[in-house]
Amino acid sequence: VEAYAGTGKSHSTLQFAARRQAAGERVLVLYFNKSMYQEMVVKLAAASPGTVCSTMDALVLREFLRQAPELVEPGESSMFHDVSAGGPAYSALALRRALRISEDDRYKGQLAKHTRQVLNAFVYSADTDVPDIEDRRFYRIRQWWQERQPQMPPFQNHARALWRKVISRAPADAHMKLSFAEVAKCFQLRALVAQNNNSDIDWMRRGLPAGTVLDRITPFAGTQDYSYVVIDEAQDLNPTHYELFVTGPRRARQRIAHALVGDPFQSLYAWRGAKNALRDAKATLQHTLIRLTKSFRFGEEVADLATAVLQRCGDPATARLVGAGPPGRIHHRNDIDCHDWRTGTPITVLGRSNKNVLLAAHEYVAEYLRHGDRTPFIFVRGARGGADMNKTLRLVERLVELRNSGDVGTFGEDTATYLEFVRLWREDALDNIELERGIQMVEARPDATAVIRGIRDMSVETPEEARVVLSTVHQMKGLESGAIRILDDVVKGVADDLGRPQRLPDATLCLVYTALSRAIGDLYLPKALS
C-alpha cells in the first residue's frame, strides 16, 4: 500500500486487521516508531480485539528472551543493554580498550567514533561482513582522515574485532552489551547457520572458545503464529527487520501474507541504512499494489504544493496528490508573527535540527515575556514537557562555567578544558550526542544558559496544552497540526537565488514533503518554498 500523507493509512490498517481477525485469522501489526505504536495499539484493541500490535524491537527482544532468558535478564550472564539506563550499549572507553587503542593516541576519539559508525553500517544492513572503508557511505570518514594523515586506519578490521567482542560469550567481554539492533542482526545471521551457509560468517565465530550469541539462539520464530503480518512505515525499514519479518519467513515457507504500508516520500532514515521496502517488495515479490492518493488531512491548496515539490524538485512523473480535506491557506511568510499564536489557534513550528528548534523556541519565549505574561505556553517535542530541559540546562551551565573559568571538566569518560572539548567537537571526535548538542548551543548563543532556562520555565507538560509546539520534522512524522510554520533550514536548496526549483537529493525532498504535509489548515512557508 503506497499511501500519501493523510490518505488513511491508519484507518486502512485498522479495517484490514479487523476483517482478517473476524475471519478467524491471526494478525500481527508491526511498527518501528514507538509513538505510532502507542497510538495504534489503543485503536486496534477497540477495532480488532485479538490482533497483536508490537514494535519490531519489542518483538525481537521477546523472541530473544524466550530463547535465551539468561542473556537478557539482569545478572552476570546478561548480554543485553538495559535501554532504561540510557547511553550506548558500550562506552567509548570500553570500545577503545576492546580494540587496544592507546589513551595517548591523539585521535583516539575519532578512532572510536568512526569504528562505531562503520560497525553500525554493518549492523543495520543485511550484509554478512563489515563493509570496506571505501564504501560510499563512509565518504566523510575518509575525507576526515585524508586531511590529517597519509594512511587510513584499518576500520574494517577494527569493526570486525569489535563485533566479535560484542557477540562473544566470554566473561571478559561481558561489558560489551547488545543493543536492540545488534540482537536483530544476530537473528538475521543465525538464519545462515541454520542453512549451513556458514562460510560467509566464519570470521566472526572462529577462535571464540566460549561461543557466541549465534550459537545460543535458534532461527527467529517471532512471526510463525500469524497468518498476516502488517508492517507500517515500510518505506523506512531496517534491512535486518526486512529479513526477519518478510524474506526470512517466506524462505522458510511459512504460510504467511504481508501487507506493507507506507509513504515512499516520507523516507527519512536512509542515513542510518534504512531501505524502502515498498520499492524492494515491488521488484522482488508477487504482490498487489494499492495506491492511496486522496488526502483527507488537507485541501487542494496543500495537495497542489506537495505535488509541485515532488514533481519539480524530484520526478516529474510522480503521481498527483489530491486534497479532499478542509480548505487550507498558504501564507507566503514564516516570521514569528505570521500566525496569531497568542490569542488565536495553536501553531506547530518545524525545523531540521535540534539547535534551530531550540533557538526558535527561545525567540517565542522572548517575545512572550516581552508582553509581561508568565504563564507556560510552549512544548518542545523530545523534551518531555521540559523534563529533559533540566538535564540540558545542567549540561549547558557546566559548559559555560568551564568556558569562563578555563578549568578542566569531565563529561562521561572524557576530561578536558572547554576549548579542548570544542576542538574535539569541531573535529567530529566526540562520541556523546548530548555533549555535542550542548557545545553547539553554547557556541551558537553566549547566553545559552538563559535560553534553555527560559524554555524550561515556559514549557507545558503535553502538546495539547501548548500555544506553540516546536519539533524537528522527524519527530512530527505521523502527526498533524492545524497550523504549520516551516523554518528556513528545512527547505535549504529547494530553489536557487532566482527562485527556480532545484532537483533535490531524495533525503531532502522527503524532508520538505513531510514538513508541509503535516498541515491541516494554515501553512506558513519560507521564502525558498514560497
Side-chain angles (χ1 to χ4, degrees), residues 122 125-129 163 184-205 214-215 217-220 240 243-244 247-248 251-252:
F122 165 68
S125 75
D127 299 338
T128 56
D129 198 357
W163 178 245
K185 185 66 179 180
C186 287
F187 275 119
Q188 179 244 321
L189 294 169
R190 184 61 181 78
L192 300 177
V193 179
Q195 299 163 28
N196 293 317
N197 186 12
N198 296 340
S199 58
D200 289 343
I201 60 173
D202 277 348
W203 63 269
M204 67 181 72
R205 303 170 70 206
L214 303 185
D215 303 306
I217 60 177
T218 58
F220 184 76
T240 46
E243 175 67 24
L244 295 184
T247 57
R251 194 184 303 110

Side-chain angles (χ1 to χ4, degrees), residues 455-517:
I455 297 171
R456 181 202 62 181
D457 292 346
M458 289 293 104
S459 291
V460 295
E461 292 298 316
T462 66
E464 291 75 21
E465 302 172 69
R467 305 299 306 164
V468 180
V469 175
L470 296 106
S471 173
T472 62
V473 178
H474 290 75
Q475 290 170 323
M476 268 297 284
K477 192 175 176 183
L479 303 174
E480 60 189 22
S481 175
I484 291 286
R485 173 193 172 199
I486 302 176
L487 298 179
D488 291 350
D489 67 330
V490 173
V491 299
K492 189 175 181 181
V494 167
D496 63 15
D497 293 339
L498 298 177
R500 294 174 297 198
Q502 300 296 293
R503 187 170 182 85
L504 295 173
D506 287 347
T508 306
L509 181 67
C510 290
L511 191 78
V512 174
Y513 162 79
T514 302
L516 63 89
S517 61

Side-chain angles (χ1 to χ4, degrees), residues 212-500:
T212 69
V213 176
L214 303 185
D215 303 306
R216 175 63 184 85
I217 60 177
T218 58
F220 184 76
T223 60
Q224 67 179 6
D225 296 330
Y226 303 97
S227 307
Y228 289 89
V229 174
V230 182
I231 299 177
D232 198 14
E233 301 294 330
Q235 78 281 354
D236 267 329
L237 201 59
N238 287 344
T240 46
H241 288 153
Y242 188 72
E243 175 67 24
L244 295 184
F245 301 123
V246 182
T247 57
R250 287 169 175 268
R251 194 184 303 110
R253 299 189 181 280
Q254 288 184 26
R255 291 184 59 81
I256 190 170
H258 289 89
L260 304 181
V261 185
D263 184 341
F265 297 107
Q266 289 192 58
S267 180
L268 300 182
Y269 294 98
W271 56 269
R272 67 150 194 249
K275 71 188 298 179
N276 188 334
L278 299 171
R279 182 180 58 223
D280 280 39
K282 281 198 299 183
T284 60
L285 301 178
Q286 183 180 355
H287 64 277
T288 300
L289 176 62
I290 300 170
R291 282 198 175 100
L292 304 180
T293 58
K294 182 183 290 187
S295 178
F296 302 98
R297 175 179 296 163
F298 41 71
E300 59 185 24
E301 299 83 4
V302 175
D304 287 347
L305 176 59
T307 300
V309 168
L310 293 176
Q311 291 181 347
R312 300 182 70 183
C313 298
D315 183 357
T318 299
R320 184 175 186 80
L321 175 59
V322 178
R329 293 170 294 278
I330 304 290
H331 304 271
H332 298 271
R333 56 183 290 197
N334 72 331
D335 56 279
I336 192 171
D337 292 319
C338 63
H339 183 81
D340 182 13
W341 49 272
R342 298 179 192 84
T343 59
T345 56
I347 188 171
T348 297
V349 182
L350 299 181
R352 180 191 291 252
S353 70
N354 285 285
K355 183 195 78 171
N356 285 337
V357 165
L358 289 177
L359 292 177
H362 169 66
E363 186 181 15
Y364 276 101
V365 169
E367 180 66 18
Y368 192 69
L369 295 177
R370 195 169 65 83
H371 289 78
D373 202 331
R374 294 292 185 273
T375 307
F377 74 101
I378 202 166
F379 185 87
V380 179
R381 288 198 177 276
R384 296 187 299 160
D388 282 355
M389 283 295 165
N390 283 316
K391 185 177 180 181
T392 303
L393 179 60
R394 289 193 296 271
L395 174 62
V396 168
E397 284 176 337
R398 181 63 177 141
L399 286 169
V400 171
E401 180 185 331
L402 291 179
R403 181 193 65 187
N404 295 340
S405 68
D407 292 340
V408 171
T410 299
F411 296 95
E413 299 162 343
D414 297 310
T415 300
T417 65
Y418 176 77
L419 290 179
E420 288 170 333
F421 277 123
V422 171
R423 177 183 63 79
L424 292 171
W425 167 64
R426 295 191 190 284
E427 292 184 350
D428 194 30
L430 289 176
D431 201 12
N432 182 331
I433 187 64
E434 291 180 351
L435 181 57
E436 286 182 350
R437 289 175 178 170
I439 292 173
Q440 188 180 34
M441 197 68 194
V442 174
E443 288 294 289
R445 292 293 301 240
D447 59 342
T449 302
V451 169
I452 301 300
R453 185 180 292 112
I455 297 171
R456 181 202 62 181
D457 292 346
M458 289 293 104
S459 291
V460 295
E461 292 298 316
T462 66
E464 291 75 21
E465 302 172 69
R467 305 299 306 164
V468 180
V469 175
L470 296 106
S471 173
T472 62
V473 178
H474 290 75
Q475 290 170 323
M476 268 297 284
K477 192 175 176 183
L479 303 174
E480 60 189 22
S481 175
I484 291 286
R485 173 193 172 199
I486 302 176
L487 298 179
D488 291 350
D489 67 330
V490 173
V491 299
K492 189 175 181 181
V494 167
D496 63 15
D497 293 339
L498 298 177
R500 294 174 297 198

